[in-house]
Amino acid sequence: MRPAPVFRALAAPLAALAATGFCALAVGENPFGVFAAMVSGALGGAEPLAFTLYYATDFIFTGLAVAVAYRAGLFNIGVEGQSLVAGAGLAMAVLAGGTLPAYAPLVAGVLAAGVFGAAWAAIPGWLQARRGSHVVITTIMFNFVASALLSWLLVDPLRAPGSMQPETRAFAPGARLWKLDDALSALGSPTTGTPLNASFLLALAAAAAVHIYVFRTRAGFEAGVQAANPSAAACAGVDATRVVVRAMALSGLLASGVAVNELLGAQNRLILDFPAGAGYVGIAVALMAGSRPMMVPLAALLFGFLAQGGAELGLDYPRISPQIVVAAQGFAVLVAGAALGSRRLA
Amino acid sequence: MTMDQAYSWLSATLRLSTPLIFACFAGLWSERAGVVDVGLEGKMLAGAFAGAAAASLTGDVRLGLLAAVAASLALSFAQAWAEIERGGDQIVCGMAVNMIGAGLTAFAGAALFGEGGRTPALTAGERVTPVVAGLDALTLAAFAAAALSAFALARTKLGLRVNAAGENPGALDAAGGSVRATRHIAVAIGGALCGLAGADLSLAQAAGFLPGMSAGKGFIALAALVFAKWRPGACLATCLLFGGLDAVAIRLPDAVVPGVGAVPVQALQALPYLLTVALLAGFVGRARPPAAAGQPYRRE
């Protein structure tokens, strides 16, 4: 994707704001009061800010996942399912390694998440490269297969003994990521009470790594050539199957970051539907960032603001459901999708 | 299986297939015209919510049905604007429609009724009730819509144009037809059918709306469309097959398949998606979408 002019990048968040404003008007609230409540709910103070960054962490990972596939000319709609399967792998590794010395379960969990996420994404990639099934449809289908797989795992083999909840038992204390609050309490400062954790730094590092991959490595270059001109790539000896499978596996690897942030950083157990739509928000994030890896964290921050601001709205405006954020994100995606097309048509 | 069980399984199959048939033929109209529709789920939700809300507020099921169609149509207009007028990416815009449908219905439900997005339970006069042999009007309408769609796509001028818009829009344009108008009509027909699919969920299968009640049925319908290789007769058969699987999953948790053992209900739920992937990957026949599906049309 070529760099988009600023107004195109801003069209999506403006659409989200406009949608929120209209919804507020529709229930008889002052839209500007609602915006102010969102800003203070998402940015006003240490706790709101930390929550915003915690949500943004998921969106950085999913935005990068969509972007890295898009750079290879692939549309990965399956980030949601890849995060889910990564979470299943993570939980199995952490629970199996529960008796190992400290940090071993943590490392095993992160590695397993990456392997499972990458493998789940690589299958649709391989199927497209070798069997001609379009990756868009197969990744959509794989989201639902992943969701069914996870709900089976959590009602049957992985459910905590004696529990009626579809969730695993809590992870061992060693298998917890370092949290901002740990540092604050060590310093004697007041804690934020938020799950913001080391995954945020991991996400920023991932953005830098994807930037290097896309612009400074042979593999990233091959993917770009293949996306821009498949026949030129074939002439130059680029192995099409390898490019597609590698791009999808990388995408799934990045999707696994959601599992790391949510399960090792916040929940400390495997629960149903933990990505909560982050995989789909990643599409909007990648579009807004023009698939440029270093822009992804910025776009993700904006969607983190929406998620946290919307979640806090209910306190001041009980008649406004937090689900309004999903609609606002939808309008952002619609406008981003429309803008993507007009650029292509122009 | 006794006669009674067979009968009840059959009628459950027909009932559960109804929203799939509506949504699948909605997708068929749209995609045969060259507009890929991954937004079936969101439009179904819009229809389900508007139908239940209107029926509950007015006490009249007919107004509920009308509202369901209108709400889904409104979403399909937004989709058509982005995809046809702006030439937007059809996958992205379809996913956007799903998010808008899920978010707006939950928001409006909470604002109107304040019960976590649910509508109040509908009473007898506010629901679609069985008319003949335990089948309600929507189930009968679904079969009628399927038959009419098959006829229209194969035998009418509109059908010819729709197929041309999907297979070779340049030829339609050269022959003096409007690709834009044809695609708008096809997407609108799809929008109306999605509204009925949603109405079936909240007015016939359940007595009211629950946030997220479509639970992936729009995507099962999409899978059925692909599995049926975009052919009307096969679409109907596939929807009945997937509806039948659903009926089995509901009736027999942990069904025992001879030679395999107990099958978890989730495996049955995943089966439509797995079958569709297997078909797409060429392990079971070959699926070929309309040639221009997914491509915005621009005059040379």
Side-chain angles (χ1 to χ4, degrees):
Chain A
M1 267 196 254
R2 269 172 276 126
V6 174
F7 75 91
R8 281 213 176 113
L10 286 180
L14 283 178
L17 274 187
T20 314
F22 276 116
C23 288
L25 270 181
V27 296
E29 303 286 3
N30 177 1
F32 294 100
V34 168
F35 294 152
M38 284 179 79
V39 170
S40 76
L43 307 172
E47 186 199 324
L49 210 56
F51 263 119
T52 299
L53 293 180
Y54 157 70
Y55 287 122
T57 305
D58 283 347
F59 302 150
I60 296 175
F61 282 123
T62 57
L64 287 172
V66 175
V68 85
Y70 201 92
R71 285 268 172 194
L74 298 161
F75 216 148
N76 181 9
I77 310 284
V79 175
E80 188 87 359
Q82 289 142 23
S83 306
L84 280 175
V85 172
L90 181 150
M92 286 190 272
V94 171
L95 293 172
T99 53
L100 291 173
Y103 294 117
L106 188 67
V107 174
V110 174
L111 290 178
V115 170
F116 274 69
W120 192 251
I123 301 168
W126 185 84
L127 287 174
Q128 163 152 336
R130 282 299 166 85
R131 310 286 315 186
S133 60
H134 204 287
V135 82
V136 166
I137 299 287
T138 38
T139 51
I140 290 176
M141 300 295 134
F142 266 47
N143 279 343
F144 288 94
V145 177
S147 165
L149 180 70
L150 206 77
S151 73
W152 172 69
L153 283 172
L154 283 178
V155 296
D156 199 9
L158 288 185
R159 186 170 62 187
S163 166
M164 294 307 287
Q165 293 292 328
E167 57 184 40
T168 62
R169 64 174 199 271
F171 297 159
R176 268 172 211 187
L177 274 179
W178 175 81
K179 280 189 186 177
L180 174 67
D181 276 3
D182 300 338
L184 289 175
S185 62
L187 289 171
S189 313
T191 55
T192 60
T194 67
L196 180 63
N197 59 75
S199 314
F200 177 66
L201 301 176
L202 189 65
L204 293 181
V210 172
H211 177 87
I212 292 169
Y213 165 78
V214 166
F215 295 110
R216 292 279 180 273
T217 67
R218 174 192 289 256
F221 180 72
E222 281 183 353
V225 174
Q226 164 120 342
N229 189 337
S231 8
C235 269
V238 173
D239 179 347
T241 303
R242 202 171 64 194
V243 166
V244 170
V245 173
R246 188 165 52 199
M248 285 302 288
L250 266 178
S251 187
L253 177 70
L254 289 160
S256 73
V258 176
V260 172
N261 183 39
E262 293 295 331
L263 304 182
L264 292 176
Q267 306 288 348
N268 292 315
R269 53 169 59 73
L270 178 63
I271 57 168
L272 280 178
D273 194 34
F274 61 86
Y280 301 113
V281 177
I283 298 169
V285 171
L287 284 176
M288 246 192 82
S291 287
R292 283 162 295 169
M294 295 308 271
M295 295 301 282
V296 164
L298 271 183
L301 207 57
L302 200 113
F303 282 91
F305 159 78
L306 267 182
Q308 168 60 11
E312 288 293 299
L313 264 186
L315 297 179
D316 293 336
Y317 297 92
R319 293 185 62 203
I320 299 185
S321 151
Q323 291 291 314
I324 193 174
V325 173
V326 179
Q329 287 166 346
F331 280 103
V333 177
L334 187 71
V335 167
L340 176 70
S342 65
R343 187 154 75 246
R344 210 185 274 157
L345 286 180
Chain B
M1 206 191 276
T2 65
M3 270 314 276
D4 270 1
Q5 280 172 325
Y7 179 78
S8 96
W9 177 75
L10 191 67
S11 90
T13 297
L14 291 176
R15 265 185 297 116
L16 292 168
S17 303
T18 302
L20 299 183
I21 295 170
F22 277 128
C24 185
F25 278 85
L28 183 70
W29 274 99
S30 185
E31 301 209 353
R32 286 281 282 262
V35 183
V36 169
D37 194 354
V38 295
L40 301 170
E41 178 91 356
K43 287 181 280 185
M44 268 173 91
L45 266 181
F49 169 74
S56 167
L57 292 173
T58 64
D60 189 340
V61 64
R62 287 165 301 177
L63 289 176
L65 288 171
L66 241 131
V69 170
S72 172
L73 265 178
L75 260 188
S76 77
F77 288 150
Q79 193 180 5
W81 166 79
E83 293 176 357
I84 303 171
E85 294 304 313
R86 306 286 304 166
D89 188 287
Q90 295 171 3
I91 305 297
V92 176
C93 295
M95 296 312 288
V97 165
N98 291 331
M99 295 168 85
I100 295 170
L104 271 190
T105 53
F107 161 76
L112 276 175
F113 305 105
E115 291 173 43
R118 268 174 291 133
T119 60
L122 300 177
T123 57
E126 301 163 358
R127 292 188 61 200
V128 177
T129 44
V131 284
V132 53
L135 299 177
D136 60 60
L138 277 173
T139 300
L140 302 175
F143 282 90
L148 269 174
S149 300
F151 173 78
L153 283 170
R155 293 267 179 274
T156 65
K157 203 159 153 186
L158 174 67
L160 186 66
R161 287 180 175 213
V162 165
N163 285 321
E167 291 290 346
N168 193 343
L172 175 63
D173 201 8
S178 166
V179 177
R180 236 181 89 212
T182 307
R183 288 186 169 178
H184 273 295
I185 292 170
V187 170
I189 293 174
L193 290 173
C194 275
L196 293 173
D200 187 74
L201 294 180
S202 66
L203 298 176
Q205 294 195 16
F209 173 81
L210 262 176
M213 76 184 303
S214 52
K217 288 204 166 58
F219 287 101
I220 300 226
L222 184 68
L225 177 62
V226 176
F227 193 77
K229 305 178 186 182
W230 292 269
R231 289 177 316 203
C235 281
L236 185 63
T238 309
C239 287
L240 288 169
L241 169 70
F242 289 177
L245 277 175
D246 206 7
V248 173
I250 286 174
R251 252 130 236 284
L252 307 168
D254 297 319
V256 178
V257 173
V260 182
V263 177
V265 65
Q266 290 86 2
L268 288 176
Q269 287 164 348
L271 199 55
Y273 305 114
L274 287 171
L275 282 174
T276 304
V277 170
L279 179 89
L280 277 172
F283 297 120
V284 199
R286 251 280 152 232
R288 190 190 71 83
Q295 294 165 11
Y297 179 66
R298 183 172 46 129
R299 236 181 218 177
E300 300 284 317

